[in-house]
Structure formats: C-alpha cells, structure tokens
Amino acid sequence: KGSISHCNDQAALLFALSVSDKLEEQNLESLFTPSILGGKQYFMQTIFDPVKSWKGELVCNRTNGTSFPAEVSMVAFSYGGITYKKISIMDITEKNRMMHELRVAKQRAEESAEIKTRFLSNMSHELRTPLNAVLGMARLLTDSPLDRSQRECADTILSSTHFLMDIIGELLDFSRIEAGRLDLQNGIFRTREVVEGAVQLFAERT
C-alpha cells in the first residue's frame, strides 16, 4: 500500500527523474505536500479505499527538491483480483501563472475605470459652476429690451448653454452607469423641440 507499481515516462519527467523505474521506487506519500485545506489527507485516505475516486489540486514534490502545483485525479480499477488506483497528474504551473496575470490585468482595468469615473464626475461638477453663471447671464440678457437680431443671438446663447448642461448631465450619467448607480426616469420626449434646437445651433445667421 502506498507504493507505485507502474508509471509512464512523462510522469518520471514531471518528478525530475530520467526513467520511470526510478519513480516506482519512491514512496507515494512523499510526492505530495500537505495543504492547509487537507487536500493531501483526503487524497491519501482515498488511495486506501477500494472504491472511492478523488480529484483536486495538490503540490507535487520533485526528487530534486523543487515542487509544482498540479491537478490530480484518481480512479479505482481491478486487475487480476487486485485493486489499483490510476493517478493522473497535470502540471498547472503555466495555468496558474496565466490566471494570476489575468487577475492582475483585471484589477488594473478596474482601477483605471474607477479613475476615469472619478475624473468624469469631478470634471462635470467643475464645468457646471461657470456654465451656471453663463446660463444666468443669458437669461438676464433675453429678458432685456433687444432688437430681433440681438434676441436671436441671446436665444442661441441660452439654448447652447442648455445643450452644454445636457452634455455634462450625460457625462455624469455615464459615470453613474459605470458605478452601477444610474436611476432611470420616465419623461416626455418632444422630438420636434429637439430637432429645432439642433437646427438652430447650425442655422446661418442673416
């Protein structure tokens, strides 16, 4: 019990041995490192159970003193009236490295998105202050006695300021969407007013 009866050459290479016969001389328990989750304990208990199978991750010990993480699976089978356990081992060093790099990249992307969101929010609030002053002065101007041409200019200033305020509001909405804090509201949408406002911005002055 606990001994290796046969292994292939690839298994020998995994454990830094030149030929498979050398691995068959090793004690099975010495090839695996105990884990804080008890993975090795469950693994060894399953070895001596004639029916149970096992699958999980363990740290495997090479004969040269190094180790590697591995996905290990074990199934039972009988041959010549004797029960054996077939153990498959796959080195997941590269897989773990890639997963670590993905986690780091994800964290950096999330940090970058958070910085962008804060920037948009701060910039939007900073722009509102001077635009509110422009909006207030434009309203005072439209309430003043003006001729037709002057009133058209004042109305354009007022509508353009409203347009900019809407853009700032959309920037704030964008940051809220990324933060998952956007609240939708139902409202009346007047297509004609929107189109007329857009045309007025670009209409030729006479």
Side-chain angles (χ1 to χ4, degrees), residues 91-161:
D91 186 344
I92 57 173
T93 301
E94 184 65 17
K95 174 186 173 182
N96 287 352
R97 183 190 65 81
M98 293 178 63
M99 292 298 294
H100 174 71
E101 290 180 354
L102 285 173
R103 286 192 293 269
V104 171
K106 179 176 180 290
Q107 182 179 357
R108 289 176 178 173
E110 290 174 348
E111 290 174 352
S112 177
E114 177 64 22
I115 291 173
K116 181 180 68 175
T117 300
R118 288 201 302 266
F119 171 76
L120 286 175
S121 179
N122 292 337
M123 183 185 68
S124 299
H125 286 295
E126 291 297 327
L127 287 174
R128 278 181 180 273
T129 301
L131 275 177
N132 279 326
V134 174
L135 183 61
M137 296 303 294
R139 285 172 177 166
L140 289 175
L141 186 60
T142 56
D143 291 338
S144 303
L146 303 170
D147 58 34
R148 180 180 176 183
S149 177
Q150 291 173 332
R151 183 161 298 281
E152 288 181 355
C153 291
D155 288 340
T156 300
I157 293 173
L158 187 59
S159 61
S160 296
T161 306

Side-chain angles (χ1 to χ4, degrees), residues 47-74:
I47 286 178
F48 302 122
D49 188 295
V51 179
K52 286 184 178 179
S53 298
W54 189 91
K55 185 176 182 180
E57 292 187 9
L58 292 172
V59 176
C60 298
N61 303 316
R62 296 187 181 96
T63 56
N64 61 6
T66 62
S67 61
F68 63 94
E71 287 183 354
V72 181
S73 62
M74 176 170 50

Side-chain angles (χ1 to χ4, degrees), residues 14-46:
L14 276 176
F15 288 92
L17 291 167
S18 57
V19 292
S20 59
D21 291 346
K22 293 294 183 182
L23 187 58
E24 293 169 9
E25 297 174 2
Q26 306 293 317
N27 181 276
L28 184 62
E29 188 170 2
S30 67
L31 298 179
F32 302 97
T33 297
S35 70
I36 58 174
L37 297 179
K40 178 183 174 181
Q41 178 184 353
Y42 300 143
F43 174 75
M44 295 304 300
Q45 288 174 354
T46 306

Side-chain angles (χ1 to χ4, degrees), residues 128-194:
R128 278 181 180 273
T129 301
L131 275 177
N132 279 326
V134 174
L135 183 61
M137 296 303 294
R139 285 172 177 166
L140 289 175
L141 186 60
T142 56
D143 291 338
S144 303
L146 303 170
D147 58 34
R148 180 180 176 183
S149 177
Q150 291 173 332
R151 183 161 298 281
E152 288 181 355
C153 291
D155 288 340
T156 300
I157 293 173
L158 187 59
S159 61
S160 296
T161 306
H162 279 297
F163 182 70
L164 285 174
M165 293 292 283
D166 289 340
I167 291 177
I168 293 173
E170 290 172 358
L171 286 174
L172 285 171
D173 287 342
F174 181 76
S175 63
R176 292 190 187 103
I177 290 172
E178 290 195 329
R181 297 195 300 266
L182 180 66
D183 296 324
L184 298 179
Q185 295 180 348
N186 294 324
I188 298 174
F189 180 79
R190 297 182 176 85
T191 307
R192 183 182 182 88
E193 292 182 5
V194 174

